[in-house]
Amino acid sequence: MKSNILWIFFFLICMGVGFLHGVLPQGISRSYFSTPRKISVLTTDEVLFPMNLRQELEEELHVRFSVTVTRDWESMLANVVASPSADLIFLPSYWANTLAHQNLLANVAGIQGELLRRVSTDFVKSRNPETFTFLPIYWMKTGIDTPLDETFLDYLKNKKETFLFLLADEDLLLKHFQTWKEQGLLEQINSKRILTLQLDQLSKTSDEGAVETPLNRDFRGGTHPFLSALLIWGAAIPANSTQKELALEILEVLTNVEHQEKGLLGTPFNSTFSTVTGKEIPLHRRADFIRDLELKDTLILETKDQEAPLKLKNDFNFIL
C-alpha cells in the first residue's frame, strides 16, 4: 500500500516538473487547459450551418459557436451594423450583395486569395481579392415538379390538384407572383392553396401537389418561362467583426475538399467549388454543371428587396 502511494507521489512530481518546463504528459491535450475561442454566427437557414457541422468544427478548431438563425432582414442588418458585429454570417448571395453595397462586409478572399481560388469562375464576378466580400458555397437551380409529369400550365388547369409548395423565400415568392401577374396567370395561381417549404424540406415529393424543388438531370419541369430560379448561398464576414482572422480560419476548414465532399450530399445543394470532384459527387452536383444548364428565362435575384413582405401582403394578399 505504502509503495503505491509513493509511486503516485512520484508521478505527480514528474507531472509538475513537466508542466514547469512547458511539456504536457502524453495523452493530455493543451486545449484541455485553455478556454475555447468564442465566435458569433448568424445564418438565415439551419441547413447552411447545421449542428453536426458546428460540433465537428468546435472539436477540430477548439472554438465555441454562438449561433442565431434568422430570416428577418432587419434583425440580420442590425447584427451586421452593430459594433462589434456578428463575426460570421451564412446567407443568400443577394442579401450579401445588398450588405456589400453598403460597405458592411470584409474581404473573404483568404490568405493570398486561397479561398477565392477554390470557387469556380462561374460564381465569381471579379477575381480581384479586394472586392471578394461573399464566399459562394452552394448553388441550386429550382424548378416546379408537377404531379403526373404535367406541364405547369396543365397543372394550373387541373382543378383536382389544389396544392402548390413554394420555397419560403420572400424575395423569390415576390418574383414569382410578379411574373405570374405579368403573364396573366394570377387568377389560376390563386385558385391553388399555396404552402411554403424551408430549405431542409426540399426533398418533399409531389404526391400532394406541385413542388418547387432542386433541378437535377432527370427533371425537366416543363418549358414555362421564368418558372426556375438560380439561387446561391455562402458566407460573409461583417466589416465590424472583431474576429476576422478566426472567421477566415473557420471558412478555410469548412470549405476544404474533405469537409465539402463529406457534407455536400446531406444537403439539397450543389457545390460552387471547382475542387470538389470526388467520385461520390454526381456530375450534376458539381460546380461546372451549371454550364450545362439553360439559364434563359431563369429568375436571378441580385439584391434584397427590403419591402418584399409588405409587397407580398399588399399586392398579392400573401403573408409568409
Side-chain angles (χ1 to χ4, degrees), residues 123-155:
F123 298 95
V124 181
K125 294 181 179 179
S126 170
R127 302 306 289 185
N128 180 3
E130 294 181 1
T131 61
F132 193 59
T133 56
F134 173 70
L135 175 64
I137 299 176
Y138 302 117
W139 69 276
M140 179 173 71
K141 190 171 190 293
T142 69
I144 296 185
D145 191 8
T146 57
L148 306 176
D149 291 327
E150 304 168 294
T151 67
F152 186 64
L153 291 178
D154 286 339
Y155 158 78

Side-chain angles (χ1 to χ4, degrees), residues 6-27:
L6 289 174
W7 272 111
I8 293 172
F9 181 69
F10 177 74
F11 175 72
L12 291 175
I13 291 176
C14 290
M15 284 184 64
V17 172
F19 289 151
L20 290 174
H21 285 82
V23 178
L24 294 177
Q26 186 175 6

